[in-house]
Amino acid sequence: MGHDGYRVKVVRQQSLRERNGGNVKLNMDGCWYESNGRGGLFRDQNGEWIMGYYGRKDFSSSLEAELWSIFKGLEIVLERKLKNVKIKSDSLTVVNLINEGNPTFHPQSVVINDAHQLMARTDTPIGPIYRSGR
C-alpha cells in the first residue's frame, strides 16, 4: 500500500505496454464505497481490464471521493507514462469542476486545481459517462 493509502493492481507490464497502443479508459463510475473507499479501473479499447486501484480515507461525500479518485488516476497516468487515456465519470459536476479548474471558494479547490493541472500535463481528457435511457 502506498503512502497515500492506495493499492494498485496491475496486469503484467508487457501486457500493459502492448495494450497501451490503443485507447485506454479510466472509469470512475461507482468509485465511492460506504463513505471511506475510492478507486478506479483502467480498461482497454475492448473494455478488458488493464489495472485498478483503490484506497481508504474518510470522505464527507461521493463528490469528494470522486475528485480524489480522478486525481489519483491522473497520478498513475503520469507515473506510468500512459498515453491515449480518457477518463469517464458518472458525475457531471465533477467533470465540470475539473475541466474548468480554479474554483477559488470551493471546499475541494486544492484537489480540483491539482487534477486540472495533471489533466493538462498528461493530455488526458475527462468526460461524462452517458447512459442510454436518460
Side-chain angles (χ1 to χ4, degrees):
M1 185 174 296
H3 70 282
D4 57 1
Y6 276 94
R7 293 183 188 267
V8 178
K9 177 69 175 166
V10 184
V11 295
R12 294 178 302 118
Q13 284 296 336
Q14 178 184 8
S15 178
L16 178 58
R17 284 191 203 102
E18 290 167 3
R19 290 180 186 199
N20 201 29
N23 291 320
V24 175
K25 182 169 79 171
L26 172 54
N27 190 329
M28 294 293 143
D29 186 18
C31 74
W32 190 46
Y33 180 73
E34 293 183 3
S35 79
N36 63 2
R38 76 273 191 214
L41 295 173
F42 287 87
R43 297 185 183 274
D44 67 15
Q45 65 271 14
N46 299 316
E48 293 191 30
W49 183 84
I50 297 173
M51 73 176 142
Y53 62 95
Y54 67 93
R56 298 184 62 83
K57 181 180 176 185
D58 290 331
F59 292 110
S60 60
S61 69
S62 60
L63 181 122
E64 183 182 6
E66 188 109 0
L67 287 166
W68 280 99
S69 293
I70 289 173
F71 174 73
K72 182 58 182 179
L74 286 163
E75 281 187 328
I76 292 169
V77 168
L78 182 65
E79 289 166 4
R80 297 182 183 269
K81 298 179 175 90
L82 299 176
K83 304 291 183 205
N84 303 320
V85 177
K86 294 178 180 145
I87 297 177
K88 296 294 184 180
S89 170
D90 60 347
S91 171
L92 187 56
T93 301
V94 168
V95 169
N96 290 337
L97 282 169
I98 293 175
N99 280 327
E100 293 167 12
N102 202 25
T104 308
F105 299 107
H106 194 282
Q108 298 299 322
S109 63
V110 172
V111 71
I112 292 167
N113 288 327
D114 287 350
H116 180 79
Q117 290 173 7
L118 274 177
M119 180 185 71
R121 188 172 168 195
T122 60
D123 194 26
T124 303
I126 299 174
I129 295 172
Y130 294 106
R131 303 203 184 279
S132 60
R134 281 193 180 181

